[in-house]
Amino acid sequence: MGSANRAKSRRSSGSQKPPLSRDAVLSKALELVDAEGIDALTMRRLGQRLGCDPMSLYRYAESRAALLDGVAELVLDELSIQPGDPDWKVQLRLLAHDFRKLALQHPHVVPLLVTRPLSTPLGMRPLGTLRPLEQILSLLIAAGFEPSDALHVYRAYYGFLYGHILNELQEFIVDPEESEALLRLGLHRLPAKDFPRLRALAPALADYDGSEELDQGLTIRLTGLEAQLARRTG
Amino acid sequence: MGSANRAKSRRSSGSQKPPLSRDAVLSKALELVDAEGIDALTMRRLGQRLGCDPMSLYRYAESRAALLDGVAELVLDELSIQPGDPDWKVQLRLLAHDFRKLALQHPHVVPLLVTRPLSTPLGMRPLGTLRPLEQILSLLIAAGFEPSDALHVYRAYYGFLYGHILNELQEFIVDPEESEALLRLGLHRLPAKDFPRLRALAPALADYDGSEELDQGLTIRLTGLEAQLARRTG
DNA sequence: CGGGTAAAGTCTACAGTGTAGATCGGGCGT
DNA sequence: ACGCCCGATCTACACTGTAGACTTTACCCG
């Protein structure tokens, strides 16, 4: 198709043939999603970017949906728990901030992270998706929680984290310079009679420190959990 | 197309011509999504169900995406705050449980609720989406919070609520009879070396009372917020 | 009653999608 | 040398969203 496609020689003259592994496919896919959003991830377009036939991709992901799952897994794998850290609370706190950072770096992937597991019964998920769960569980159990309590704690923690991320991303504004103007502009459309509070809060909405808000929420949550733990262990 | 399509007479002999309003379109769309999931909502299929040309739909929603927004809005409209209730805490608690019930009734819509706002700058959202925000804000302000604090409270509250819903739906299992068996089956696939905690917790995962978990989380959250309020008002 | 106007509904057509199935090519073991 | 198999490709099909032209319907005014 191209010009010098016969380049199958050993040293392909510095041209492009990273020989198409699963990771190569997934990371190019991630690139594409990051750059243009989920809908832009098309078999044909991805094939184009990789310089191969769209059909080749099916060797490495058995459908487009599976490919999306792969992308989500790839992103999640960037997270990891340092298993030997001192305090479970600082652990969870660090992890939360890492996750937040990751979400801000790949905002287009967040819908996948949040949405895809809904269609997959828990046991059938890609392992990469379950690893954080397992890690946190053992972290908590090591910290002294009863296993079943650890599950509750995990739910409370992750629920809050997901919720926060979604909230923060919803208010995300691209250009921090013009943000306030844009916001006002957007809100100006609202009928003043029906939305007085919202309009009045426009400036407050404009300067929103997600990191701090996350941290505050975490302290509340974590101290509460710690109290619960103290009560158990006596 | 059909057989007796000439039926345009005043009384259409009990046949079918609910004359295609926006609400008719949206609620049929919701039906379809509830029954078969988001991907099943296709212009052509929806047209078929409504007995009209797919193109007609564009009179009532200017694109498929807009149609999805409409569906989300329609679902959200089923929620409402009784404005005259006694305590803001019981208000928020009731609202949370209503929302949870709604989410369980329309699980396929939840991804829309959670995801669509991410692509729409806050000011440009369909009004139905913003109304809950406004209502909660005025509820909180009426309860004595400073407006900017009300915003924080709203974020904490909704963040938690969204997170909980997502968590609960992820563990949702269709048939409560076989659920445990299925779950074990699913989890059995996990390598025992890598996921010991998770496998051990299978039974605990199986009996998960979402409502109670929600309620517990709410009490923590709400009492925390109340303390904050008391501090402000002195 | 006739005619004009705007809306509501339809038809056709196009570019693009995911993917099943057959086909090709080239490196390996024997 | 042969056969084999696996990765990559090609072709084809059913289906998608939607632009633009067209037809039908409803109604209002003279």
Side-chain angles (χ1 to χ4, degrees):
Chain A
M1 294 189 165
S3 42
N5 60 344
R6 187 56 48 88
K8 188 65 216 16
S9 69
R10 198 55 47 97
R11 29 154 69 217
S12 58
S13 76
S15 179
Q16 53 285 58
K17 272 296 173 185
L20 206 51
S21 67
R22 172 156 222 258
D23 280 343
V25 169
L26 287 186
S27 44
K28 254 294 186 289
L30 175 57
E31 255 179 48
L32 224 168
V33 171
D34 276 342
E36 309 187 42
I38 291 183
D39 292 339
L41 179 50
T42 283
M43 299 312 243
R44 298 190 222 263
R45 285 177 61 140
L46 181 54
Q48 195 169 323
R49 296 250 179 158
L50 285 163
C52 73
D53 190 276
M55 280 298 134
S56 308
L57 305 174
Y58 287 87
R59 297 269 161 204
Y60 306 101
E62 67 176 7
S63 70
R64 190 186 111 106
L67 205 158
L68 291 177
D69 285 337
V71 170
E73 197 176 349
L74 185 66
V75 168
L76 270 193
D77 273 352
E78 294 184 33
L79 274 191
S80 72
I81 286 189
Q82 254 72 337
D85 244 23
D87 186 357
W88 61 276
K89 286 191 303 173
V90 317
Q91 282 262 50
L92 289 187
R93 198 177 228 108
L94 287 179
L95 188 62
H97 277 98
D98 284 355
F99 185 76
R100 171 175 178 268
K101 211 187 289 181
L102 206 62
L104 295 185
Q105 272 163 9
H106 307 283
H108 284 139
V109 183
V110 170
L112 290 184
L113 261 37
V114 174
T115 270
R116 302 272 344 157
L118 294 184
S119 2
T120 322
L122 196 147
M124 300 293 153
R125 310 236 180 102
L127 297 188
T129 310
L130 294 177
R131 198 150 280 133
L133 205 177
E134 174 72 19
Q135 285 176 328
I136 291 184
L137 284 181
S138 57
L139 175 73
L140 290 172
I141 292 173
F145 284 96
E146 284 298 310
S148 71
D149 287 337
L151 192 58
H152 285 84
V153 172
Y154 167 83
R155 286 191 186 119
Y157 169 77
Y158 244 66
F160 167 70
L161 188 51
Y162 271 48
H164 171 86
I165 292 303
L166 286 173
N167 259 341
E168 182 168 354
L169 245 42
Q170 289 195 10
E171 302 182 13
F172 189 68
I173 290 145
V174 240
D175 185 347
E177 175 71 32
E178 285 195 303
S179 71
E180 188 168 332
L182 279 183
L183 236 173
R184 285 184 194 281
L185 198 90
L187 293 179
H188 187 268
R189 189 198 51 130
L190 301 185
K193 295 215 155 181
D194 294 336
F195 298 91
R197 316 296 189 186
L198 199 46
R199 290 173 52 125
L201 280 173
L205 277 168
D207 60 348
Y208 169 36
D209 184 341
S211 175
E212 187 176 354
E213 193 120 357
L214 174 63
D215 220 61
Q216 286 182 1
L218 276 175
T219 41
I220 294 179
R221 198 118 222 137
L222 292 179
T223 57
L225 294 175
E226 189 176 35
Q228 180 180 337
L229 176 61
R231 204 170 309 134
R232 295 277 177 178
T233 34
Chain B
M1 295 186 167
S3 42
N5 59 345
R6 187 58 48 86
K8 191 60 218 19
S9 70
R10 199 54 49 98
R11 30 152 70 218
S12 58
S13 77
S15 178
Q16 52 286 56
K17 272 297 173 182
L20 207 52
S21 65
R22 172 157 222 257
D23 281 343
V25 169
L26 287 186
S27 44
K28 254 292 185 293
L30 174 58
E31 255 179 49
L32 224 169
V33 170
D34 276 341
E36 309 187 42
I38 292 183
D39 292 340
L41 179 50
T42 282
M43 299 312 242
R44 298 190 223 263
R45 286 177 61 140
L46 182 53
Q48 195 169 321
R49 296 249 179 158
L50 285 164
C52 73
D53 190 276
M55 279 297 134
S56 308
L57 304 174
Y58 286 88
R59 297 269 162 204
Y60 306 101
E62 68 175 6
S63 70
R64 189 185 111 106
L67 205 158
L68 290 178
D69 286 336
V71 171
E73 197 176 351
L74 185 67
V75 169
L76 270 193
D77 273 352
E78 293 184 34
L79 274 190
S80 72
I81 286 188
Q82 256 69 337
D85 244 22
D87 187 357
W88 62 276
K89 286 191 301 174
V90 318
Q91 282 262 50
L92 288 187
R93 197 177 228 106
L94 287 179
L95 188 61
H97 277 99
D98 284 355
F99 185 77
R100 170 174 179 270
K101 211 187 290 181
L102 206 62
L104 294 184
Q105 274 164 7
H106 306 284
H108 284 139
V109 183
V110 170
L112 289 183
L113 261 38
V114 174
T115 270
R116 301 274 342 157
L118 294 183
S119 1
T120 322
L122 198 146
M124 298 294 153
R125 310 234 180 102
L127 296 189
T129 310
L130 294 176
R131 198 151 279 131
L133 205 177
E134 174 74 18
Q135 285 175 326
I136 291 184
L137 285 180
S138 56
L139 175 72
L140 290 171
I141 292 174
F145 283 95
E146 285 297 312
S148 72
D149 287 337
L151 192 57
H152 284 84
V153 173
Y154 166 83
R155 286 191 186 120
Y157 169 79
Y158 244 67
F160 167 71
L161 187 53
Y162 269 48
H164 172 87
I165 291 303
L166 286 174
N167 259 340
E168 183 169 356
L169 279 181
Q170 289 195 8
E171 301 182 14
F172 189 67
I173 290 143
V174 240
D175 185 347
E177 175 71 31
E178 284 197 304
S179 70
E180 189 167 332
L182 279 183
L183 235 172
R184 286 185 194 281
L185 198 90
L187 293 179
H188 187 269
R189 189 198 51 130
L190 300 185
K193 296 217 153 180
D194 294 338
F195 297 92
R197 316 296 190 187
L198 199 46
R199 290 174 52 126
L201 281 174
L205 277 168
D207 59 348
Y208 169 35
D209 185 340
S211 175
E212 188 177 355
E213 192 119 357
L214 175 63
D215 220 61
Q216 286 182 2
L218 277 175
T219 41
I220 295 179
R221 198 116 221 137
L222 292 179
T223 56
L225 294 175
E226 191 177 34
Q228 179 180 337
L229 176 60
R231 204 171 310 135
R232 294 278 177 178
T233 34

